[in-house]
PDB file of all heavy atoms in Angstrom:
ATOM      1  N   ARG B 433     -29.258   9.428 -12.934  1.00 97.00           N
ATOM      2  CA  ARG B 433     -28.514   8.723 -11.790  1.00 97.00           C
ATOM      3  C   ARG B 433     -26.996   8.896 -11.839  1.00 97.00           C
ATOM      4  O   ARG B 433     -26.399   9.079 -10.788  1.00 97.00           O
ATOM      5  CB  ARG B 433     -28.872   7.255 -11.847  1.00 97.00           C
ATOM      6  CG  ARG B 433     -30.322   6.897 -11.530  1.00 97.00           C
ATOM      7  CD  ARG B 433     -30.598   5.493 -11.409  1.00 97.00           C
ATOM      8  NE  ARG B 433     -31.985   5.241 -11.362  1.00 97.00           N
ATOM      9  CZ  ARG B 433     -32.598   4.247 -10.717  1.00 97.00           C
ATOM     10  NH1 ARG B 433     -31.870   3.311 -10.229  1.00 97.00           N
ATOM     11  NH2 ARG B 433     -33.948   4.080 -10.767  1.00 97.00           N
TER      12      ARG B 433
ATOM     13  N   ALA W 123     -41.128  -0.080   4.570  1.00 88.00           N
ATOM     14  CA  ALA W 123     -41.165  -0.145   3.147  1.00 88.00           C
ATOM     15  C   ALA W 123     -41.138  -1.522   2.621  1.00 88.00           C
ATOM     16  O   ALA W 123     -40.344  -2.368   3.176  1.00 88.00           O
ATOM     17  CB  ALA W 123     -39.952   0.628   2.644  1.00 88.00           C
ATOM     18  N   TYR W 126     -40.294  -3.189  -4.143  1.00 61.00           N
ATOM     19  CA  TYR W 126     -41.112  -3.298  -5.348  1.00 61.00           C
ATOM     20  C   TYR W 126     -41.257  -4.688  -5.755  1.00 61.00           C
ATOM     21  O   TYR W 126     -40.338  -5.422  -6.027  1.00 61.00           O
ATOM     22  CB  TYR W 126     -40.537  -2.496  -6.470  1.00 61.00           C
ATOM     23  CG  TYR W 126     -40.511  -0.929  -6.245  1.00 61.00           C
ATOM     24  CD1 TYR W 126     -39.385  -0.297  -6.153  1.00 61.00           C
ATOM     25  CD2 TYR W 126     -41.761  -0.323  -6.105  1.00 61.00           C
ATOM     26  CE1 TYR W 126     -39.368   1.116  -5.949  1.00 61.00           C
ATOM     27  CE2 TYR W 126     -41.708   1.116  -5.874  1.00 61.00           C
ATOM     28  CZ  TYR W 126     -40.541   1.767  -5.799  1.00 61.00           C
ATOM     29  OH  TYR W 126     -40.509   3.078  -5.520  1.00 61.00           O
ATOM     30  N   GLY W 131     -35.032  -7.931  -7.519  1.00 43.00           N
ATOM     31  CA  GLY W 131     -33.628  -8.140  -7.719  1.00 43.00           C
ATOM     32  C   GLY W 131     -32.826  -6.842  -7.691  1.00 43.00           C
ATOM     33  O   GLY W 131     -32.393  -6.424  -6.641  1.00 43.00           O
ATOM     34  N   GLU W 132     -32.689  -6.192  -8.845  1.00 46.00           N
ATOM     35  CA  GLU W 132     -31.823  -5.051  -9.010  1.00 46.00           C
ATOM     36  C   GLU W 132     -32.083  -3.971  -8.156  1.00 46.00           C
ATOM     37  O   GLU W 132     -31.167  -3.263  -7.624  1.00 46.00           O
ATOM     38  CB  GLU W 132     -31.923  -4.723 -10.544  1.00 46.00           C
ATOM     39  CG  GLU W 132     -30.744  -3.885 -11.005  1.00 46.00           C
ATOM     40  CD  GLU W 132     -30.957  -3.540 -12.523  1.00 46.00           C
ATOM     41  OE1 GLU W 132     -32.016  -3.137 -12.845  1.00 46.00           O
ATOM     42  OE2 GLU W 132     -30.053  -3.707 -13.192  1.00 46.00           O
ATOM     43  N   SER W 133     -33.345  -3.595  -7.951  1.00 47.00           N
ATOM     44  CA  SER W 133     -33.674  -2.342  -7.385  1.00 47.00           C
ATOM     45  C   SER W 133     -33.678  -2.418  -5.776  1.00 47.00           C
ATOM     46  O   SER W 133     -33.883  -1.403  -5.127  1.00 47.00           O
ATOM     47  CB  SER W 133     -35.032  -1.832  -7.785  1.00 47.00           C
ATOM     48  OG  SER W 133     -36.055  -2.594  -7.238  1.00 47.00           O
ATOM     49  N   TRP W 134     -33.387  -3.532  -5.299  1.00 47.00           N
ATOM     50  CA  TRP W 134     -33.445  -3.785  -3.782  1.00 47.00           C
ATOM     51  C   TRP W 134     -32.765  -2.664  -3.031  1.00 47.00           C
ATOM     52  O   TRP W 134     -33.432  -2.168  -2.115  1.00 47.00           O
ATOM     53  CB  TRP W 134     -33.040  -5.206  -3.518  1.00 47.00           C
ATOM     54  CG  TRP W 134     -33.076  -5.607  -2.063  1.00 47.00           C
ATOM     55  CD1 TRP W 134     -32.139  -5.390  -1.142  1.00 47.00           C
ATOM     56  CD2 TRP W 134     -34.249  -6.236  -1.442  1.00 47.00           C
ATOM     57  NE1 TRP W 134     -32.569  -5.892   0.142  1.00 47.00           N
ATOM     58  CE2 TRP W 134     -33.868  -6.396  -0.013  1.00 47.00           C
ATOM     59  CE3 TRP W 134     -35.435  -6.621  -1.830  1.00 47.00           C
ATOM     60  CZ2 TRP W 134     -34.738  -6.970   0.891  1.00 47.00           C
ATOM     61  CZ3 TRP W 134     -36.365  -7.293  -0.909  1.00 47.00           C
ATOM     62  CH2 TRP W 134     -35.894  -7.379   0.390  1.00 47.00           C
ATOM     63  N   PRO W 135     -31.461  -2.607  -3.224  1.00 49.00           N
ATOM     64  CA  PRO W 135     -30.754  -1.696  -2.295  1.00 49.00           C
ATOM     65  C   PRO W 135     -31.264  -0.300  -2.290  1.00 49.00           C
ATOM     66  O   PRO W 135     -31.464   0.439  -1.281  1.00 49.00           O
ATOM     67  CB  PRO W 135     -29.333  -1.650  -2.726  1.00 49.00           C
ATOM     68  CG  PRO W 135     -29.292  -2.859  -3.779  1.00 49.00           C
ATOM     69  CD  PRO W 135     -30.686  -2.973  -4.259  1.00 49.00           C
ATOM     70  N   LEU W 136     -31.659   0.229  -3.490  1.00 52.00           N
ATOM     71  CA  LEU W 136     -32.294   1.512  -3.532  1.00 52.00           C
ATOM     72  C   LEU W 136     -33.599   1.607  -2.890  1.00 52.00           C
ATOM     73  O   LEU W 136     -33.927   2.674  -2.228  1.00 52.00           O
ATOM     74  CB  LEU W 136     -32.461   1.921  -5.092  1.00 52.00           C
ATOM     75  CG  LEU W 136     -31.199   2.385  -5.855  1.00 52.00           C
ATOM     76  CD1 LEU W 136     -31.514   2.334  -7.353  1.00 52.00           C
ATOM     77  CD2 LEU W 136     -30.805   3.746  -5.299  1.00 52.00           C
ATOM     78  N   THR W 137     -34.310   0.519  -3.019  1.00 64.00           N
ATOM     79  CA  THR W 137     -35.590   0.686  -2.400  1.00 64.00           C
ATOM     80  C   THR W 137     -35.478   0.764  -0.859  1.00 64.00           C
ATOM     81  O   THR W 137     -36.235   1.499  -0.283  1.00 64.00           O
ATOM     82  CB  THR W 137     -36.328  -0.731  -2.720  1.00 64.00           C
ATOM     83  OG1 THR W 137     -36.426  -0.908  -4.087  1.00 64.00           O
ATOM     84  CG2 THR W 137     -37.732  -0.789  -2.163  1.00 64.00           C
ATOM     85  N   LEU W 138     -34.541   0.014  -0.310  1.00 71.00           N
ATOM     86  CA  LEU W 138     -34.377   0.153   1.178  1.00 71.00           C
ATOM     87  C   LEU W 138     -33.934   1.488   1.504  1.00 71.00           C
ATOM     88  O   LEU W 138     -34.356   2.111   2.484  1.00 71.00           O
ATOM     89  CB  LEU W 138     -33.300  -0.857   1.622  1.00 71.00           C
ATOM     90  CG  LEU W 138     -33.700  -2.298   1.722  1.00 71.00           C
ATOM     91  CD1 LEU W 138     -32.575  -3.149   2.219  1.00 71.00           C
ATOM     92  CD2 LEU W 138     -34.980  -2.483   2.539  1.00 71.00           C
ATOM     93  N   ASP W 139     -33.175   2.184   0.651  1.00 83.00           N
ATOM     94  CA  ASP W 139     -32.573   3.495   0.903  1.00 83.00           C
ATOM     95  C   ASP W 139     -33.632   4.532   1.110  1.00 83.00           C
ATOM     96  O   ASP W 139     -33.465   5.556   1.757  1.00 83.00           O
ATOM     97  CB  ASP W 139     -31.556   3.873  -0.062  1.00 83.00           C
ATOM     98  CG  ASP W 139     -30.607   4.916   0.370  1.00 83.00           C
ATOM     99  OD1 ASP W 139     -30.276   4.870   1.576  1.00 83.00           O
ATOM    100  OD2 ASP W 139     -30.274   5.803  -0.503  1.00 83.00           O
ATOM    101  N   ARG W 140     -34.816   4.258   0.547  1.00 89.00           N
ATOM    102  CA  ARG W 140     -35.835   5.358   0.596  1.00 89.00           C
ATOM    103  C   ARG W 140     -36.318   5.561   2.018  1.00 89.00           C
ATOM    104  O   ARG W 140     -36.787   6.648   2.417  1.00 89.00           O
ATOM    105  CB  ARG W 140     -36.992   5.105  -0.344  1.00 89.00           C
ATOM    106  CG  ARG W 140     -37.991   4.136   0.002  1.00 89.00           C
ATOM    107  CD  ARG W 140     -39.011   3.991  -1.105  1.00 89.00           C
ATOM    108  NE  ARG W 140     -40.277   3.241  -0.709  1.00 89.00           N
ATOM    109  CZ  ARG W 140     -40.475   1.942  -0.785  1.00 89.00           C
ATOM    110  NH1 ARG W 140     -39.505   1.219  -1.284  1.00 89.00           N
ATOM    111  NH2 ARG W 140     -41.630   1.419  -0.424  1.00 89.00           N
ATOM    112  N   VAL W 141     -36.197   4.568   2.872  1.00 92.00           N
ATOM    113  CA  VAL W 141     -36.622   4.731   4.305  1.00 92.00           C
ATOM    114  C   VAL W 141     -35.578   5.629   4.979  1.00 92.00           C
ATOM    115  O   VAL W 141     -35.950   6.486   5.765  1.00 92.00           O
ATOM    116  CB  VAL W 141     -36.775   3.351   4.988  1.00 92.00           C
ATOM    117  CG1 VAL W 141     -36.913   3.485   6.529  1.00 92.00           C
ATOM    118  CG2 VAL W 141     -37.924   2.600   4.382  1.00 92.00           C
ATOM    119  N   ARG W 142     -34.377   5.268   4.660  1.00 94.00           N
ATOM    120  CA  ARG W 142     -33.213   6.261   5.299  1.00 94.00           C
ATOM    121  C   ARG W 142     -33.554   7.667   4.827  1.00 94.00           C
ATOM    122  O   ARG W 142     -33.483   8.570   5.625  1.00 94.00           O
ATOM    123  CB  ARG W 142     -31.878   5.824   4.847  1.00 94.00           C
ATOM    124  CG  ARG W 142     -30.773   6.715   5.227  1.00 94.00           C
ATOM    125  CD  ARG W 142     -29.457   6.376   4.569  1.00 94.00           C
ATOM    126  NE  ARG W 142     -29.323   6.618   3.195  1.00 94.00           N
ATOM    127  CZ  ARG W 142     -29.071   7.898   2.661  1.00 94.00           C
ATOM    128  NH1 ARG W 142     -28.788   8.932   3.464  1.00 94.00           N
ATOM    129  NH2 ARG W 142     -29.006   8.059   1.370  1.00 94.00           N
ATOM    130  N   LEU W 143     -33.814   7.803   3.537  1.00 96.00           N
ATOM    131  CA  LEU W 143     -33.973   9.245   3.015  1.00 96.00           C
ATOM    132  C   LEU W 143     -35.170   9.828   3.745  1.00 96.00           C
ATOM    133  O   LEU W 143     -35.233  11.024   4.026  1.00 96.00           O
ATOM    134  CB  LEU W 143     -34.074   9.164   1.546  1.00 96.00           C
ATOM    135  CG  LEU W 143     -32.737   8.989   0.793  1.00 96.00           C
ATOM    136  CD1 LEU W 143     -32.968   8.405  -0.599  1.00 96.00           C
ATOM    137  CD2 LEU W 143     -32.015  10.297   0.747  1.00 96.00           C
ATOM    138  N   THR W 229     -28.647  12.538  -1.697  1.00 96.00           N
ATOM    139  CA  THR W 229     -28.824  12.149  -3.125  1.00 96.00           C
ATOM    140  C   THR W 229     -29.873  10.947  -3.190  1.00 96.00           C
ATOM    141  O   THR W 229     -29.789   9.960  -2.454  1.00 96.00           O
ATOM    142  CB  THR W 229     -27.434  11.520  -3.639  1.00 96.00           C
ATOM    143  OG1 THR W 229     -26.466  12.609  -3.500  1.00 96.00           O
ATOM    144  CG2 THR W 229     -27.588  11.227  -5.011  1.00 96.00           C
ATOM    145  N   ASN W 230     -30.848  11.253  -3.918  1.00 96.00           N
ATOM    146  CA  ASN W 230     -32.125  10.422  -3.954  1.00 96.00           C
ATOM    147  C   ASN W 230     -32.501  10.014  -5.431  1.00 96.00           C
ATOM    148  O   ASN W 230     -33.574  10.346  -5.852  1.00 96.00           O
ATOM    149  CB  ASN W 230     -33.254  11.169  -3.247  1.00 96.00           C
ATOM    150  CG  ASN W 230     -34.405  10.283  -2.870  1.00 96.00           C
ATOM    151  OD1 ASN W 230     -34.492   9.093  -3.324  1.00 96.00           O
ATOM    152  ND2 ASN W 230     -35.289  10.865  -2.089  1.00 96.00           N
ATOM    153  N   PRO W 231     -31.619   9.249  -6.014  1.00 95.00           N
ATOM    154  CA  PRO W 231     -31.875   9.012  -7.467  1.00 95.00           C
ATOM    155  C   PRO W 231     -33.135   8.416  -7.933  1.00 95.00           C
ATOM    156  O   PRO W 231     -33.788   8.710  -8.796  1.00 95.00           O
ATOM    157  CB  PRO W 231     -30.617   8.139  -7.894  1.00 95.00           C
ATOM    158  CG  PRO W 231     -30.111   7.608  -6.627  1.00 95.00           C
ATOM    159  CD  PRO W 231     -30.438   8.620  -5.541  1.00 95.00           C
ATOM    160  N   GLU W 232     -33.505   7.348  -7.072  1.00 91.00           N
ATOM    161  CA  GLU W 232     -34.686   6.574  -7.473  1.00 91.00           C
ATOM    162  C   GLU W 232     -36.012   7.377  -7.310  1.00 91.00           C
ATOM    163  O   GLU W 232     -36.799   7.372  -8.338  1.00 91.00           O
ATOM    164  CB  GLU W 232     -34.847   5.280  -6.556  1.00 91.00           C
ATOM    165  CG  GLU W 232     -35.898   4.385  -6.987  1.00 91.00           C
ATOM    166  CD  GLU W 232     -36.013   3.120  -6.215  1.00 91.00           C
ATOM    167  OE1 GLU W 232     -35.112   2.920  -5.276  1.00 91.00           O
ATOM    168  OE2 GLU W 232     -37.012   2.451  -6.342  1.00 91.00           O
ATOM    169  N   LEU W 233     -36.183   8.059  -6.286  1.00 93.00           N
ATOM    170  CA  LEU W 233     -37.450   8.847  -6.061  1.00 93.00           C
ATOM    171  C   LEU W 233     -37.478  10.036  -6.958  1.00 93.00           C
ATOM    172  O   LEU W 233     -38.390  10.482  -7.542  1.00 93.00           O
ATOM    173  CB  LEU W 233     -37.631   9.203  -4.663  1.00 93.00           C
ATOM    174  CG  LEU W 233     -38.238   8.110  -3.716  1.00 93.00           C
ATOM    175  CD1 LEU W 233     -39.633   7.789  -4.046  1.00 93.00           C
ATOM    176  CD2 LEU W 233     -37.477   6.838  -3.784  1.00 93.00           C
ATOM    177  N   GLU W 235     -36.168  10.294  -9.910  1.00 95.00           N
ATOM    178  CA  GLU W 235     -36.419   9.810 -11.213  1.00 95.00           C
ATOM    179  C   GLU W 235     -37.917   9.686 -11.518  1.00 95.00           C
ATOM    180  O   GLU W 235     -38.403   9.891 -12.583  1.00 95.00           O
ATOM    181  CB  GLU W 235     -35.664   8.454 -11.518  1.00 95.00           C
ATOM    182  CG  GLU W 235     -35.639   8.076 -12.958  1.00 95.00           C
ATOM    183  CD  GLU W 235     -34.690   6.917 -13.147  1.00 95.00           C
ATOM    184  OE1 GLU W 235     -34.068   6.416 -12.291  1.00 95.00           O
ATOM    185  OE2 GLU W 235     -34.657   6.528 -14.370  1.00 95.00           O
TER     186      GLU W 235
END
Side-chain angles (χ1 to χ4, degrees):
Chain B
R433 294 191 188 203
Chain W
Y126 292 115
E132 199 180 45
S133 71
W134 182 272
L136 280 166
T137 304
L138 286 184
D139 199 36
R140 77 181 196 273
V141 171
R142 176 188 71 84
L143 285 158
T229 300
N230 194 349
E232 185 178 353
L233 281 290
E235 194 168 358

